[in-house]
Amino acid sequence: MTDLNDFDDLFKIIQERIKNPSDDSYVSSLAEGGKDRISQKVGEETTELAIEVAKDKQDKKSLIHEATDLFFHLWVLMAFLNISPQDILDELKERHRIKSEK
């Protein structure tokens, strides 16, 4: 079992499983399907989260489960496309800077 302590660990594990595929890795199987397969999963997970949010009675545990699925698959797509969490953070900082200057 791989030690997972923070988001950096998660992203490194995803990158490693894309770079060095193995038969027992879900990430490797997604990467084998390419960006189309990974983006399909991102779309599915987005829909599942939206459905959970739209329910009259929301269950926090289910929301966390669906949000985690979306987050994970989005990170697989990012790693596959060589987009790092730092790239996303830099973009958010830039947007905040621009907004703050207005």
Side-chain angles (χ1 to χ4, degrees):
M1 179 91 186
T2 306
D3 205 17
L4 182 60
N5 295 309
D6 58 29
F7 291 135
D8 287 335
D9 287 347
L10 173 62
F11 198 73
K12 287 174 187 172
I13 291 166
I14 292 169
Q15 287 177 310
E16 177 64 26
R17 292 182 182 169
I18 289 172
K19 205 184 291 185
N20 299 302
S22 68
D23 291 339
D24 62 341
S25 167
Y26 177 63
V27 172
S28 296
S29 69
L30 283 174
E32 187 176 301
K35 65 180 167 106
D36 291 341
R37 176 68 181 130
I38 303 167
S39 61
Q40 176 188 18
K41 286 300 295 179
V42 170
E44 289 173 15
E45 300 303 341
T46 300
T47 300
E48 290 174 14
L49 178 59
I51 289 168
E52 195 62 39
V53 169
K55 290 181 178 177
D56 288 336
K57 186 175 180 187
Q58 296 170 341
D59 174 50
K60 185 174 180 179
K61 185 174 180 178
S62 293
L63 289 168
I64 290 169
H65 177 86
E66 296 302 341
T68 300
D69 285 350
L70 174 57
F71 183 89
F72 173 78
H73 286 89
L74 181 58
W75 275 41
V76 172
L77 182 62
M78 288 170 42
F80 188 83
L81 298 174
N82 294 313
I83 298 170
S84 73
Q86 187 61 52
D87 294 331
I88 302 298
L89 185 58
D90 291 346
E91 175 67 17
L92 289 169
K93 287 178 182 178
E94 180 64 19
R95 289 180 186 189
H96 178 72
R97 186 187 65 76
I98 291 169
K99 186 176 180 180
S100 296
E101 291 176 357
K102 290 183 181 179

